[in-house]
Amino acid sequence: MESERRIWAATDTAAWGDRFRWLGLTPLERPDLGLAQAFMRQEAAVAVSVGRDASVWADLFNDIRALRSCRGLGLAIPDHVQMAALELPAAIEFVILGEGAGVPEAWHALPVIAQVTSVEQAELALQRQVHGLIAKGQDSGGWVGQESSFILLQRLLSLPGRGDIPVWAQGGIGLQTAAAAIAGGASGVILDAALTLLPECRWHSTWRPQLTAMDGSEVRDMAGYQLYVRTPGDVALLETMSVDQIRQGLAEERCLPLGQDANLALSVSEACGHVEVLLQTLRLNVPAQIEQAVELNLLGEHSPWARSHGVQWAIAQGPMTRVSDTPEFCEAVASAGGLPFLVFSLMKEEACRQLLVATQERMQGRPFGVGVLGFADPQLLQAQLDLIKTYRPAAVLLAGGRPAQARGLMEQGIAAYLHVPSPGLLRLFLEEGATHFVFEGRECGGHVGPRYSFVLWQQMISLLLKAEQPQRLHVLFAGGIHDARSAAMVAAMAAPLAAQGIRVGILMGSAYLATHEAVQCAAIVEHCQQRLLDATSTVLVESAPGHAIRCLPSGFVDHFRQEKLRLQREGVDPRTAGSLLETMTVGRLRIATKALDYQEGHLVAVDEKIQDDQGMFMIGQNIVMKKHVQSVAQLHADVSLGAMQHLRAVNLSKPHRLAPIAVVGMACLYPEAEDLESYWAHIMEGHDAVREVSSDRWNADFYYDSEGREGKSISRWGGFIGKTAFDPLAFGIPPQSLAAIEPVQLLSLQVAQQALHDAGYAQKYFDRDKTSVIFGAESGMDLANQYNFRNLYGQYLGDLPDNLDKVLPKLSEDSFPGVLVNVISGRIANRLGLGG
């Protein structure tokens, strides 16, 4: 086994780079050797989950021993599963261990990849000298921690003492987010949930209808597990179970270990119908996306999004309640080249007016935006929107807004962005004509949406890639972006959108609170900033289902949870309880950020102890990576120029067989050989199909001259294809068009179809959208020559005689494409439905 350990050395990219970059894991904690074999056939590593049912392990190992070829095969042991002392099949090259999982001592020589859900677990794994780490985010299924894969991956990649130990990303991985993870520095990605709807994945068919319809919101967090259950009754039952009972429920398939990213299986199966197509797409597209982001200079100076808003960088400062309410901070962001946003929240009309006037005076014509609550009291909201139309800021961000609200602002020349938390809403908003969107992941601070960044972003990108008139669209990605690495990940992921003309930018909130200007401009007080810099984790405070706020742990959070438990114990109606809990949060943010509270109807300063005990420090998950204060200009440079520099430094090893080539089907039409069988028979027999030119081809006596005098041919011999039947209606070609199309185009089309039949693809599925046609042909065919003769005759000899006019082809709308040889491949692609 010692020789196998070479695969984990990051410097030995030829040995492990491509094979382990796309690391398959049989989903749903089920052993699936058919799926594993599909990966190995494509020279990709794969781990077979042993599941939680010990009774199947012996048979599984026997089946593995019976496999012919097993290069790159490993085992995955789910969390808290202790493997029995079974003899390990010799084919197994590595093992993935979930948290709390264990294997017999005899297995310890195997390379181990630790599946971790927190930084603390990763540090312990490194102490055990594991060979790799998997950053398993909360957006994945089964046992998870508190951080998304986007955040956890960033933290593990920056972990002191990691050295060159490879790190994989698990959770939210789709076709574009895979590029994000690799661009960020991940050695590879885990392909698991995305595989569940591919035909090679053999899981119980009774779950398929539910999984096909999933949008990511159906999963439940129960006792530390992300699970999917089919009925409300099952949910209620599981909520009463202990952790051990839930694990038993997983073994008995009463629930599935699925996270938010289960939804991505549908888009993957639609784009890549088989494992082979998926892996080849990743191998080709991921490096291409990273290169594309660099070529487009997606986050560089004066990018398309930046130019659209008249700023230097494609950066928007997200509106933050009790923070984005000072003109000085707005000016600081604008001076550093970003687009700042004020926040109106529930401010009264006169206070909003004063803030707008003061900001405009300080900004001196530089663009800024305003954030409003689209679901606020209609009278208050209308007053705020009227002020916006009067003072005309460059942009508005409508949190919880609707396309109709945005339309009224867009008509005034004000860019109106809508928060879009789900793919269903994006479809609806696009249909209603909306063009400016913010996609903010659950990692953000304050009130959060239901989906983590990777899942949300992948869903939205998949939809936007199909959008009509993409050049009209502006999108801002938000949720966990704070430095060069995180911004580079977004750029690589969003490159296909930018290539279609969509203007792409990033929106940050929490990162600004770790800047000098945040305190200098009185956006927050110094003690608040220090609390944020000292943070090691964030928590979610949930007043009711779907109403969650991300903030730091604090005395208030402890008090909130105790009160929530009390209301539950007393059986208070959930709506009433939610309203009471929401009331508890009022004013808490002001205490945290400004150290101000109302006492006897007046705002007064409070001390740091009250600030700590009673304040609600709303902040995003990325704050745990911000340990030092920087300037706004440094932050902007990091997420723009730094991101592009990071991407240019990405060095993906070229796989030794990036695009394997195989001849899978053949067809032909040769002289005296109208099919493949006749052609091979002639070769085996040494048959000579060269014949003297017949009179129905051309007048050999006229062209032939034994001496080869000028304008004559020295030969009267050749190979000639005989009469060949062609049915134009079978290819959707009108019969009246045939006279204007070179026979070589028609014959090539027919032979191409025969080649597909020979390959077995007449009925079998294959990815037609990714199938290309490459065709070599020579110009100067008979039909083109006859057109040329007709056109030139008049120039040299005058009117065309009637007898020639009758036999020469006449020009029509079919003539031009009918004689161009470069149309041959296009005609084949069009008629056979090939889109590559």
Side-chain angles (χ1 to χ4, degrees):
M1 284 298 176
E2 187 61 33
S3 62
E4 295 296 341
R5 292 176 184 247
R6 293 188 311 105
I7 65 176
W8 311 111
T11 55
D12 190 8
T13 53
W16 74 268
D18 186 62
R19 181 179 293 275
F20 282 85
R21 183 167 288 132
W22 325 109
L23 179 51
L25 174 59
T26 57
L28 310 178
E29 295 182 356
R30 300 186 190 183
D32 190 339
L33 287 185
L35 179 61
Q37 286 177 296
F39 265 78
M40 291 185 287
R41 281 194 295 269
Q42 301 307 315
E43 297 189 6
V46 61
V48 176
S49 177
V50 300
R52 297 178 182 271
D53 184 358
S55 66
V56 306
W57 293 346
D59 290 339
L60 171 63
F61 283 16
N62 286 333
D63 291 340
I64 292 175
R65 293 185 183 100
L67 296 178
R68 292 184 178 181
S69 176
C70 298
R71 190 179 177 200
L73 182 63
L75 290 177
I77 318 301
D79 64 278
H80 302 93
V81 169
Q82 301 297 315
M83 284 296 298
L86 298 171
E87 181 182 352
L88 188 69
I92 299 300
E93 296 181 2
F94 64 97
V95 61
I96 295 176
L97 288 182
E99 182 186 359
V103 296
E105 187 175 349
W107 294 23
H108 287 182
L110 278 176
V112 171
I113 305 175
Q115 192 180 52
V116 301
T117 60
S118 69
V119 169
E120 293 74 21
Q121 287 181 35
E123 291 172 338
L124 291 173
L126 291 176
Q127 291 175 16
R128 297 196 304 268
Q129 298 185 331
V130 298
H131 298 80
L133 298 171
I134 295 174
K136 189 173 191 291
Q138 199 179 32
D139 28 3
S140 65
W143 183 256
V144 295
Q146 297 302 311
E147 292 179 323
S148 71
S149 58
F150 181 48
I151 296 294
L152 185 58
L153 175 62
Q154 294 179 59
R155 298 191 70 188
L156 296 193
L157 291 172
S158 303
L159 198 61
R162 179 179 70 87
D164 59 3
I165 297 297
V167 179
W168 285 261
Q170 181 179 7
I173 299 301
L175 296 180
Q176 278 70 48
T177 50
I182 299 298
S187 303
V189 294
I190 300 298
L191 301 173
D192 56 341
L195 307 173
T196 52
L197 292 177
L198 295 181
E200 295 90 343
C201 185
R202 303 169 186 172
W203 46 270
H204 204 283
S205 60
T206 56
W207 291 92
R208 187 179 184 92
Q210 288 88 347
L211 296 183
T212 303
M214 286 183 71
D215 69 0
S217 64
E218 301 86 352
V219 298
R220 297 288 184 271
D221 186 352
M222 298 177 181
Y225 285 87
Q226 289 289 324
L227 303 174
Y228 174 65
V229 291
R230 279 183 284 193
T231 67
D234 291 334
V235 174
L237 178 63
L238 283 167
E239 286 177 341
T240 66
M241 289 184 174
S242 67
V243 173
D244 289 337
Q245 289 173 322
I246 286 178
R247 290 169 185 158
Q248 184 61 33
L250 286 168
E252 297 171 357
E253 297 184 8
R254 280 181 287 169
C255 53
L256 292 181
L258 282 173
Q260 292 181 2
D261 60 359
N263 163 269
L264 304 184
L266 183 60
S267 61
V268 167
S269 66
E270 290 175 344
C272 308
H274 291 269
V275 166
E276 177 184 5
V277 180
L278 170 61
L279 291 173
Q280 291 299 346
T281 298
L282 290 172
R283 284 168 171 154
L284 294 169
N285 286 11
V286 166
Q289 279 187 226
I290 295 172
E291 293 174 5
Q292 192 174 50
V294 173
E295 292 173 1
L296 294 171
N297 199 27
L298 201 147
L299 294 179
E301 189 173 17
H302 302 306
S303 71
W305 188 94
R307 292 198 304 271
S308 179
H309 292 287
V311 295
Q312 183 179 8
W313 308 112
I315 302 169
Q317 168 254 309
M320 295 171 281
T321 304
R322 305 299 181 188
V323 173
S324 305
D325 53 6
T326 62
E328 294 81 2
F329 187 58
C330 192
E331 180 188 23
V333 174
S335 297
L339 180 66
F341 275 82
L342 300 172
V343 63
F344 278 0
S345 187
L346 299 178
M347 291 170 58
K348 301 298 183 183
E349 180 180 359
E350 186 54 33
C352 293
R353 185 191 309 276
Q354 293 176 9
L355 181 58
L356 276 174
V357 170
T359 302
Q360 282 195 337
E361 290 177 354
R362 183 169 283 273
M363 293 294 285
Q364 297 181 344
R366 284 173 294 196
F368 70 95
V370 175
V372 299
L373 300 176
F375 51 84
D377 175 78
Q379 186 174 353
L380 173 64
L381 176 61
Q382 189 58 54
Q384 292 178 344
L385 293 177
D386 289 343
L387 280 173
I388 288 171
K389 292 176 182 178
T390 299
Y391 289 91
R392 300 178 65 82
V396 170
L397 200 162
L398 289 156
R402 302 182 304 279
Q405 295 168 326
R407 192 177 304 116
L409 294 166
M410 295 289 290
E411 290 171 354
Q412 299 291 321
I414 301 170
Y417 283 88
L418 295 168
H419 267 292
V420 191
S422 71
L425 271 182
L426 179 59
R427 289 191 192 94
L428 180 63
F429 287 3
L430 286 169
E431 290 172 0
E432 294 185 24
T435 56
H436 290 58
F437 307 107
V438 175
F439 305 140
E440 187 173 68
R442 194 173 174 83
E443 293 91 333
C444 70
H447 290 83
V448 299
R451 292 167 179 80
Y452 282 104
S453 289
F454 268 2
V455 173
L456 177 67
W457 293 346
Q458 181 62 70
Q459 289 176 327
M460 300 317 202
I461 290 172
S462 296
L463 283 175
L464 291 181
L465 287 174
K466 303 173 184 176
E468 298 180 1
Q469 297 182 301
Q471 67 279 0
R472 299 173 59 239
L473 304 180
H474 293 65
V475 299
L476 287 168
F477 291 93
I481 306 166
H482 67 103
D483 65 356
R485 186 195 302 275
S486 55
M489 295 166 78
V490 172
M493 174 190 69
L497 298 182
Q500 290 194 359
I502 297 176
R503 292 166 174 82
V504 175
I506 59 174
L507 182 144
M508 299 183 295
S510 299
Y512 282 102
L513 301 186
T515 63
H516 295 293
E517 291 88 341
V519 174
Q520 293 168 356
C521 300
I524 59 174
V525 298
E526 187 174 1
H527 182 66
C528 174
Q529 187 177 75
Q530 192 57 52
R531 280 293 310 270
L532 301 179
L533 295 174
D534 293 339
T536 58
S537 65
T538 63
V539 295
L540 287 177
V541 172
E542 192 173 43
S543 57
H547 296 273
I549 301 172
R550 185 173 299 283
C551 55
L552 294 186
S554 66
F556 168 74
V557 170
D558 294 338
H559 175 60
F560 181 95
R561 287 175 171 171
Q562 291 170 5
E563 185 66 11
K564 184 176 181 179
L565 287 173
R566 183 187 69 79
L567 293 172
Q568 290 174 343
R569 285 195 303 267
E570 294 177 2
V572 176
D573 176 72
R575 289 189 178 182
T576 302
S579 179
L580 292 171
L581 292 170
E582 194 71 28
T583 302
M584 287 180 63
T585 67
V586 175
R588 301 292 179 171
L589 178 59
R590 182 180 54 245
I591 295 174
T593 60
K594 309 289 193 185
L596 295 173
D597 192 18
Y598 275 104
Q599 293 182 7
E600 298 180 357
H602 300 282
L603 273 178
V604 298
V606 299
D607 60 29
E608 292 178 359
K609 186 177 187 307
I610 292 178
Q611 195 177 358
D612 290 340
D613 291 344
Q614 299 183 23
M616 192 174 191
F617 297 83
M618 297 184 188
I619 197 70
Q621 281 189 347
N622 61 21
I623 197 62
V624 299
M625 291 177 277
K626 308 298 286 186
K627 297 304 176 187
H628 303 286
V629 181
Q630 61 184 158
S631 69
V632 171
Q634 289 171 329
L635 173 63
H636 286 181
D638 199 22
V639 298
S640 55
L641 298 177
M644 302 315 298
Q645 184 178 358
H646 180 99
L647 287 176
R648 284 190 287 271
V650 175
N651 182 22
L652 291 183
S653 60
K654 297 296 183 181
H656 65 283
R657 197 169 68 102
L658 179 62
I661 296 175
V663 176
V664 297
M666 297 178 67
C668 66
L669 179 59
Y670 284 113
E672 300 184 20
E674 60 184 18
D675 53 39
L676 198 59
E677 289 74 16
S678 302
Y679 175 68
W680 288 125
H682 287 181
I683 290 178
M684 298 300 294
E685 298 167 1
H687 177 75
D688 184 1
V690 175
R691 297 286 182 267
E692 188 172 346
V693 180
S694 60
S695 58
D696 63 331
R697 294 285 180 174
W698 62 75
N699 187 346
D701 292 335
F702 177 80
Y703 289 107
Y704 172 73
D705 182 88
S706 60
E707 302 297 328
R709 288 177 295 177
E710 184 178 357
K712 300 293 184 177
S713 171
I714 201 170
S715 173
R716 57 194 304 153
W717 298 76
F720 301 95
I721 296 173
K723 291 183 178 180
T724 304
F726 179 82
D727 180 6
L729 296 179
F731 296 97
I733 299 175
Q736 61 269 26
S737 299
L738 291 182
I741 302 175
E742 284 279 16
V744 67
Q745 291 195 18
L746 306 175
L747 297 178
S748 300
L749 175 59
Q750 186 159 285
V751 171
Q753 185 187 59
Q754 292 168 356
L756 284 177
H757 278 260
D758 184 64
Y761 288 113
Q763 303 297 331
K764 187 172 68 174
Y765 169 84
F766 68 101
D767 192 347
R768 290 179 178 268
D769 285 342
K770 291 186 173 68
T771 302
S772 299
V773 179
I774 301 171
F775 203 96
E778 182 181 351
S779 60
M781 303 299 175
D782 287 348
L783 185 61
N785 291 336
Q786 292 172 26
Y787 280 130
N788 289 335
F789 181 82
R790 170 183 281 276
N791 295 332
L792 289 171
Y793 187 94
Q795 179 177 340
Y796 293 109
L797 299 175
D799 293 340
L800 192 70
D802 290 342
N803 58 339
L804 285 178
D805 183 56
K806 292 178 180 178
V807 297
L808 290 175
K810 292 179 173 60
L811 290 173
S812 70
E813 65 273 14
D814 296 310
S815 300
F816 188 59
V819 299
L820 291 177
V821 291
N822 58 311
V823 170
I824 295 176
S825 57
R827 192 180 294 275
I828 293 172
N830 178 269
R831 294 296 90 190
L832 300 185
L834 309 175

